[in-house]
Amino acid sequence: RPHQDSSPYPWSQRHLNFTVPTNHPFPRYGAAANSLSSKDGSIYIMGGLIHGSTVKGDLWMIESAPNNLSCYPVATTSEGPGPRVGHAALLVGNAFIVFGGDTKTDETDMLDDTLYLLNTDVVVLLSASEWLLTVDSYKQWSRAAPAGPRPPGRYGHSLNIIGSKIYIFGGQVEGFFFNDLVTFDLNALQQASNRWETLIQNTIDGGPPHGQIPPARTNHSVVTWNEKLYLFGGTDGVTWFSDVWAY
């Protein structure tokens, strides 16, 4: 939306207002957030690295209003994504979706390849004792566990949606870089037949050669427009890309 200020520098700084007493959760690196807010202006921030050494798995919400950004931790139920960095997130309707991230705590660990979905609608839990009725509000995590092959866990990838399908491209696991493109149809989430679908294999795994598809990369940007994915930039640790691809 055009900025009303005639200044040639339309950026302006905003400060977060923490609504509950808490240890300051920011700054942090490699967290995941929805790039577009919900209809009511909510932004979710999950995980990331703080103080250069502590990997977090917490969830925060920023509620945006004119001249005010309120920030507070979100209470959740069920087993959500644990501590991670370099993951990707997406808000689709009332679902905050998280995939990937560096979850290793030991060299022998495998990266998490689970697709997590947070129902952003509030779940109210009532608990009664002899003298007191307690009302607690939570948001609930669930896991998508389709049968068949899953895309390998990774970090530095992109996560986008077109229609009802989410798309994952690229990323890395340490020195290995991906250029596969995989998709999952959210409309099939409750169906026994739901599956991840590999649209394009990694070049190194027998997929199309470089030149026909984007070279493997991490930390790129992908946006959607007119039912297409548009890819820009990224790196394979040697080359810093400035190319643009469409799918």
Side-chain angles (χ1 to χ4, degrees), residues 10-71:
W11 287 104
S12 59
Q13 191 172 18
R14 295 289 187 265
H15 295 281
L16 297 178
N17 298 313
F18 293 95
T19 58
V20 295
T22 183
N23 293 330
H24 202 291
F26 306 115
R28 62 178 64 192
Y29 162 81
N34 47 297
S35 58
L36 296 176
S37 70
S38 66
K39 290 181 179 179
D40 62 2
S42 298
I43 301 169
Y44 293 87
I45 301 174
M46 186 265 152
L49 183 70
I50 63 173
H51 306 307
S53 59
T54 304
V55 180
K56 303 290 285 185
D58 51 354
L59 181 68
W60 292 78
M61 179 190 286
I62 297 174
E63 289 185 336
S64 56
N67 303 316
N68 184 53
L69 293 176
S70 299
C71 184

Side-chain angles (χ1 to χ4, degrees), residues 196-220:
W196 283 100
E197 179 184 359
T198 299
L199 300 175
I200 301 176
Q201 279 191 318
N202 291 303
T203 298
I204 198 171
D205 296 328
H210 295 171
Q212 293 183 19
I213 64 173
R217 65 190 66 197
T218 188
N219 292 324
H220 48 281

Side-chain angles (χ1 to χ4, degrees), residues 86 99-102 104 110-113 150-158 167-182 198 200-210 213-222 231-237 239 241 243 245:
F99 179 82
D102 188 352
K104 283 189 174 183
M110 298 293 291
L111 294 187
D112 189 359
D113 61 2
R150 302 181 189 180
R154 62 191 70 191
Y155 49 90
H157 52 289
S158 53
Y167 294 82
I168 294 171
F169 173 79
Q172 71 178 106
V173 177
E174 297 180 354
F176 181 88
F177 296 86
F178 296 87
N179 65 339
D180 56 346
L181 181 64
V182 294
T198 299
I200 301 176
Q201 279 191 318
N202 291 303
T203 298
I204 198 171
D205 296 328
H210 295 171
I213 64 173
R217 65 190 66 197
T218 188
N219 292 324
H220 48 281
S221 296
V222 175
L231 162 71
F232 172 76
T235 182
D236 62 3
T239 301
F241 297 106
D243 49 355
W245 294 77

Side-chain angles (χ1 to χ4, degrees), residues 89-121:
L90 189 65
L91 185 66
V92 182
N94 67 340
F96 179 67
I97 301 172
V98 174
F99 179 82
D102 188 352
T103 56
K104 283 189 174 183
T105 57
D106 187 87
E107 285 299 317
T108 59
D109 289 346
M110 298 293 291
L111 294 187
D112 189 359
D113 61 2
T114 304
L115 183 68
Y116 296 90
L117 301 96
L118 177 76
N119 184 347
T120 60
D121 292 335

